[in-house]
């Protein structure tokens, strides 16, 4: 069970309170109606799924109920950083590799 | 006509008592799910007569009324003496959402020397006095359901849950309390 | 009963009370504090089981959790039969009933031992080579015969009647292992004021101090120091001391799983006392003090009963006061066995000889052995053993060559050195490093906040161990820690030596590496010869290390033999991965409280008790119990549902709809948000009006539906499906928080705030009218699809005029605690007017007569509004809503999509099976071309014929076509029809 730092509750809380919510920083296009098939495919279906650092969304479902973002290393399963929804991708410095 | 005071709480008549542990239903309360951006916080605090804290896990108590911080723009307001919380918020014009959830939730009071240990059978949070002091409140999980946990004393907790989960919560308390 | 091998004035059980137990039905006496193994040995019993594959007689190898051989069944009662219990871990208690395993008809004479003679047939890779084909052999030979002949214990055949507990715990320092290292670390940590949990798998703390008589700490014998420190720790508020507790799994971010055994050692556990407790401990730091595990020597015939680890013999002697024989031989490559021999000799046990594979051995222990007159053979190997059910002699030969000789003995103790117990460290993702000089894998780079101290970290010196432990215990408190603990005068035994693999490359006779899975040195060599190159391959090919002991005593031997065959250094051959659990964990411990009534929450509505009193049958809908139908005397389900369906359309019915999900959408941008979340237009929906809403996912498929009422300009009362309530709220929160955060809206679940009483049917208004205050119920003032606030029975209510039956209908929402009282008042009015209570089955039939879909029944995540005939629910002039773009995808507008239609069977009495497939030509060859399937099917009492809904390819264009539903009894002819079977014009809801 991971320990996840909730940027809203400002403390580490047990994973049982959280729910994973997929890849982060995929903004819903403002003009959905004009979206080409290719752009829709990229927006809705294509995910990066890298080995290493991923940026992903979590929801503190059974805590403050906020969605937030996290940078996690899928190799070590370590959270490098968590940050509030809407904030830009953080600079992970050396940690990001 | 129904006597408006005749609420039938889902845990009416339930009680569990053993060495160092007492689990009992709380009295029926008026409850508000209050959502508000910070711009409305001061006005709502004034209207409700209670400070809506901005500090995570914090609670405020004034008489029979309490406000528990659940999220950065969310509070659970509880009034055990039937105060009209909806009406109080109705006087505030700043954008907010007040929803009556008096009957959605029900509450158990868990007290005694073993209260924290019994809660730890199902709650993964650190309930030591350092990490979860008197006054701390948080939405969390207990076994397989969501609860709002509020430490009201060194050895006393209030556990709020949705009414249909209260039977499960009560039974899990009974089972956990048997584990001395 | 005598205990002929229990020595007077030796060991620590001395004055303990005798305990009677049975083994294979035979009564024995042991002492309180004995393990089953020590008690059996006290009675001279070495033979305790038969091996997994060859059914060879096997005895007790160890004195701890690493035991590979001595697995027994423990029977407490008919339901409590635990297989594969290690006799070295199970404590005896009065009435303990143990049985041997994998033998028939008896332990001493076992027919299955024929496998031993046939062993060439069962060599390495046997499973892969044999269980291939022909297919029929699986049924006739492999499963019934071969697989049954192999195996260990028998699984219990009744549900486990015990209860199990769970505990989440948090601490600054978790110490695993309470030997000298663990105790010192816990003491140091406790002295800093840290919150400490100390766990040990044994019944008592002390670890190797149980047998290491040469240890002294703080001027006292090591064992006495351990007892004093334990008492000190137990008395402290900041220390939780757990014995009989195994740290079995080390997971992410310093969470460690412990299982505490609470009752297996008790003769009469209290009723409902949990048998085991699972601890899920989150520790800021973990100190692993898990010690080291002694290895056996690998030589021909090394598995006979009476052959055991030297440290085990020493533990049985020094702790339990039990001699493992009267004339004990020693075969070793490590000094530790010499010290065991010396202890035995001093206690009056004969030592037949000490055979050491090493040449040129020296040291105080050697001189002492010679002084005591023990024959010492250096540079020798044991090359064979004899004795049918227990070792009776060993054959010894110089490794440099020369004649062998036979030495009689009644026990043989062996040691090839010590393997640090790095299991938990490795599980924590720490890297292991191979120390070539000592041929050991030791903890290398840590992946988590963990320290390994003492033997598991490679220390072979007690003073160094204590020093490391005090340091680690102090560090565990982080910056503020200052070391206050002082432990003086530490003196321990120092053992050197050790070897891996075999001393001499052997013969055809079995030199066992892995006792539990019956893997020999020859098997491993054969695996390499057959092309296995990695230890992972060797492991799977031979099954070495894959038994329940996970090769604690055997893995290093197997690895060394493979490395030697491959001509590579050990680290290049690799080490198999350590995985949880360290020792077997019961399913009960993992399930914890989540059994029976606590397996899953059962949710009941405020009206549930009324339905129960009326004799309703219930069905499960998600976690909810919902009233299914209300049978009257003599009615079966069909009759009850037919009556309920009729009554609703003729008079009225009352239905508990409380389980529907409800969400309050509040804020000045509420309508804008609704526009985005639902396909429908909302901006112009008047206050007090309702609309049926369809929610899509971004891909265009139907996600949920429900009726939405506008309570105020800035407040909507949204309903969702019963099962969809949590995910719909999550879906809406997701969009609100992350895609549309600027909208001034908040969402609140009110699913359980309201009890919902649906009153449906021509007389519904008459029924509720006497109970309603403040609301004009006339059709003009409150038409179909409207909502009003007022009071019902004097309590505040939201009254919806809506219909899921096609009849004039109302849904009364009242605060849930008033639900039952209001329901009873409505029921009283209903009864006066011939209404019935109806359940979910009737609800389903009535909505199907009207062609109303149920999300999850007519839809399966691949159905669009157009497919479902709901294109009218899509706002034509909307700039955006979730799913709008998805709906335009080529495949979603392509011809031939499965579309929702009605089906009418040619025989009106035939009711189709839901899920049945539909074809155009029932005579075509199998596999047939499927056009679709039946989604809903019922007998319609009101129509007088069966009705069905189905998804059929191009269905909207097939009206009137005859299709077929092939069933085992023949194809059923159906006609494609409208989805609306009753009141096609929809007039009844309005009037």
């Amino acid at each position: 069970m991971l320990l996840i730092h909730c940027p809203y509750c400002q403390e580490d809380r047990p994973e049982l309170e959280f729910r994973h919510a997929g890849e982060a920083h995929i903004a819903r296009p403002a003009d959905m109606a004009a979206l080409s098939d290719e752009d829709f495919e990229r927006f809705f279906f294509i995910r990066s799924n890298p080995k290493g650092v991923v940026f992903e969304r979590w929801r503190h479902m059974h805590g403050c109920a906020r969605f937030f973002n996290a940078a996690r290393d899928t190799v070590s399963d370590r959270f490098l950083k968590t940050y509030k929804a809407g904030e830009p991708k953080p600079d992970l410095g050396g940690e990001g590799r | 006509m129904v006597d408006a005071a005749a609420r039938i709480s889902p845990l009416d008549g339930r009680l569990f008592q053993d060495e160092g542990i007492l689990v009992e239903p709380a009295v029926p309360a008026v409850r508000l799910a209050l959502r508000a951006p910070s711009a409305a916080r001061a006005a709502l605090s004034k209207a409700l007569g209670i400070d809506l804290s901005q500090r995570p896990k914090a609670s405020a108590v004034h008489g029979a009324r309490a406000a528990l911080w659940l999220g950065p723009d969310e509070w659970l307001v509880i009034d055990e003496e039937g105060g009209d919380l909806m009406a109080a918020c109705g006087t505030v014009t700043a954008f907010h959402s007040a929803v009556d959830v008096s009957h959605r939730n029900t509450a158990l009071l868990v007290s005694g020397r073993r209260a924290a240990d019994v809660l730890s059978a199902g709650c993964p949070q650190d309930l030591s006095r350092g990490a979860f002091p008197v006054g701390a409140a948080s939405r969390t999980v207990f076994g397989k359901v969501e609860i709002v946990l509020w430490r009201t004393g060194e050895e006393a907790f209030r556990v709020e849950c949705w009414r249909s989960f209260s039977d499960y919560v009560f039974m899990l308390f009974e089972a956990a309390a048997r584990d001395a | 009963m005598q205990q002929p091998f229990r020595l007077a004035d030796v060991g620590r059980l001395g004055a303990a009370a005798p305990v009677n137990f049975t083994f294979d039905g035979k009564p024995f006496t042991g002492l309180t504090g004995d393990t089953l193994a020590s008690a059996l040995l006290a009675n001279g019993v070495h033979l305790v089981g038969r091996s997994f594959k060859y059914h060879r007689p096997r005895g007790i190898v160890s004195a701890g959790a690493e035991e590979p051989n001595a697995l027994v069944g423990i029977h407490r009662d008919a339901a409590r039969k635990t297989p594969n219990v290690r006799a070295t871990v199970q404590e005896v208690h009065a009435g303990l009933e143990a049985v041997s395993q994998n033998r028939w008809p008896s332990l001493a004479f076992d027919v299955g031992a024929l496998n031993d003679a046939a062993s060439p047939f069962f060599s390495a890779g046997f499973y892969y080579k044999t269980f291939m084909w022909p297919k029929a052999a699986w049924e006739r030979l492999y499963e019934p015969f071969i697989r049954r002949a192999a195996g260990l214990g028998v699984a219990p055949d009744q549900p486990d009647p015990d209860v199990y507990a769970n505990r989440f715990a948090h601490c600054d320092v978790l110490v695993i292992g309470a030997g000298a290292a663990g105790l010192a670390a816990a003491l140091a940590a406790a002295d800093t004021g840290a919150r400490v949990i100390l766990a040990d798998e044994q019944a008592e703390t002390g670890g190797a101090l149980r047998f290491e008589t040469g240890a002294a700490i703080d001027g006292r014998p090591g064992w006495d120091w351990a007892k004093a420190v334990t008492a000190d720790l137990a008395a402290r508020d900041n220390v939780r001391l757990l014995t009989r507790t195994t740290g079995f799994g080390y997971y992410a971010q310093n969470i460690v799983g412990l299982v505490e055994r609470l009752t297996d050692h008790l003769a009469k556990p209290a009723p409902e006392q949990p048998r085991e407790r699972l601890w899920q401990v989150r520790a800021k730091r973990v100190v692993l003090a898990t010690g080291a595990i002694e290895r056996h020597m690998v030589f021909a015939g090394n598995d006979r009963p009476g052959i055991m680890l030297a440290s085990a013999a020493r533990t049985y002697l020094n702790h339990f006061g039990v001699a493992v024989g009267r004339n004990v031989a020693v075969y070793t490559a490590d000094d530790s066995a010499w010290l065991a021999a010396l202890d035995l000799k001093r206690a009056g046990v004969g030592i037949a000889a000490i055979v050491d594979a090493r040449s040129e051995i020296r040291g105080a222990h050697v001189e002492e052995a010679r002084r005591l007159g023990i024959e010492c053979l250096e540079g020798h190997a044991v090359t064979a053993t004899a004795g049918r059910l227990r070792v009776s002699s060993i054959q010894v030969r110089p490794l440099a060559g020369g004649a062998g000789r036979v030495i009689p003995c009644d026990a043989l103790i062996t040691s090839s050195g010590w393997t640090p117990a790095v299991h938990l460290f490795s599980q924590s993702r720490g890297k292991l490093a191979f120390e070539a000089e000592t041929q050991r894998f030791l903890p290398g780079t840590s992946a988590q906040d963990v320290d390994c101290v003492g033997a598991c970290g490679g220390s072979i010196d007690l003073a160094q161990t204590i020093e490391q432990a005090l340091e680690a215990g102090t560090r565990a408190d982080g910056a503020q820690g200052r070391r206050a603990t002082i432990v003086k005068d530490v003196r321990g035994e120092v053992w050197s030596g050790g070897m891996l693999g075999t001393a001499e490359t052997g013969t055809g006779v079995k030199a066992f590496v892995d006792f539990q899975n019956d893997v020999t040195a020859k098997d491993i060599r054969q695996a390499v010869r057959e092309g296995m190159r990695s230890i992972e391959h060797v492991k799977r090919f031979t099954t070495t290390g894959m038994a329940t002991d996970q090769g604690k005593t055997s893995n290093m031997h197997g690895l060394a033999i493979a490395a030697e065959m491959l001509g590579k250094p050990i680290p290049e051959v690799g080490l198999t991965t350590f995985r949880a659990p360290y020792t077997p964990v019961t399913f009960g411990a993992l399930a914890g409280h989540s059994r029976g009534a606590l397996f899953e929450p059962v949710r009941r509505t405020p009206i549930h008790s009324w339905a129960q009193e009326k004799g309703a049958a219930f069905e499960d809908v998600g976690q909810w119990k919902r009233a299914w139908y209300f049978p009257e005397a003599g009615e079966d389900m069909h009759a009850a549902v037919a009556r309920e369906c009729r009554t609703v359309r003729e008079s009225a019915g009352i239905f508990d709809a409380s389980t529907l999900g409800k969400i309050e959408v509040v804020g000045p941008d509420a309508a804008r948000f609704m526009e985005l979340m639902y396909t429908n237009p909302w901006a112009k929906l008047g206050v007090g009006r309702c609309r049926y809403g369809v929610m899509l996912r971004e891909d265009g498929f139907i996600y949920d539906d429900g009726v939405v009422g506008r309570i105020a300009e800035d407040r909507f009362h949204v309903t969702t499906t019963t099962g969809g309530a949590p995910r719909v709220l999550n879906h809406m929160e997701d969009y609100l928080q992350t895609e549309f955060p600027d909208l001034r809206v908040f969402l609140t679940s009110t699913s359980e705030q309201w009890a919902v009483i649906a009153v449906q049917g021509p007389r519904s208004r008459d029924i509720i009218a006497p109970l309603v205050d403040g609301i004009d119920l006339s059709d003009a003032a409150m038409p179909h699809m409207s909502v009003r606030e007022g009071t019902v029975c004097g309590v505040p209510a939201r009254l919806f005029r809506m219909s899921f039956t096609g009849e004039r209908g109302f849904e009364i929402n009242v605060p849930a605690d008033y639900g039952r009282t209001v329901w009873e008042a409505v029921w009283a009015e209903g009864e006066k007017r011939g209404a019935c209570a109806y359940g979910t089955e009737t609800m389903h039939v009535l909505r199907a007569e009207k062609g109303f879909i149920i999300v999850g029944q007519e839809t399966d995540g691949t159905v669009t509004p157009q497919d479902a005939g709901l294109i009218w629910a899509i706002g034509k002039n909307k700039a955006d809503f979730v799913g709008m773009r998805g709906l335009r995808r080529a495949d979603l507008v392509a011809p031939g999509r499965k579309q929702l239609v009605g089906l009418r069977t040619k025989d009106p009495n035939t009711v189709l099976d839901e899920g049945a497939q539909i074809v155009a030509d029932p005579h075509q060859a199998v596999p047939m071309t499927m056009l679709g399937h039946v989604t809903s099917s019922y007998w319609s009492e009101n129509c007088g014929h069966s009705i069905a809904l189905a998804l059929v390819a191009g269905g909207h264009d097939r009206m009137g076509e005859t299709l077929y539903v092939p069933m085992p009894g023949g194809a059923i002819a159906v006609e494609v029809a409208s989805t609306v079977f009753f009141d096609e014009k929809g007039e009844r809801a309005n009037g």
Side-chain angles (χ1 to χ4, degrees), chain C residues 109-140:
Chain C
F109 177 74
D110 170 39
V111 169
L114 286 171
N115 282 7
D116 197 14
S119 62
F121 183 60
F122 295 108
S123 64
F126 162 75
Y127 283 86
Y128 301 99
K129 293 168 184 165
T130 309
F131 288 4
M132 297 292 287
W133 52 270
K135 208 172 158 187
W138 274 102
E139 285 169 23
R140 292 183 201 146

Side-chain angles (χ1 to χ4, degrees), chain C residues 519-535:
Chain C
V519 180
T520 65
K522 191 178 154 221
D523 289 331
I524 291 167
R525 293 190 178 108
Q526 186 194 330
V528 174
R529 273 198 299 274
E530 293 200 17
M532 308 302 138
R533 288 294 174 270
S534 142
I535 194 63

Side-chain angles (χ1 to χ4, degrees), chain C residues 933-947:
Chain C
H933 68 278
V934 178
T935 59
S936 292
S937 174
Y938 310 94
W939 169 254
S940 168
E941 185 75 4
N942 290 307
C943 298
H945 59 76
S946 73
I947 59 171

Side-chain angles (χ1 to χ4, degrees), chain B residues 4 144 163-164 178-179, chain C residues 272 277 599 603 752 817-818:
Chain B
K144 296 187 174 184
R163 55 177 298 130
S164 72
R178 280 194 292 267
D179 174 25
Chain C
E272 300 196 332
R277 183 187 290 129
F599 177 68
R603 305 175 69 182
E752 299 220 42
D817 283 355
Y818 304 125

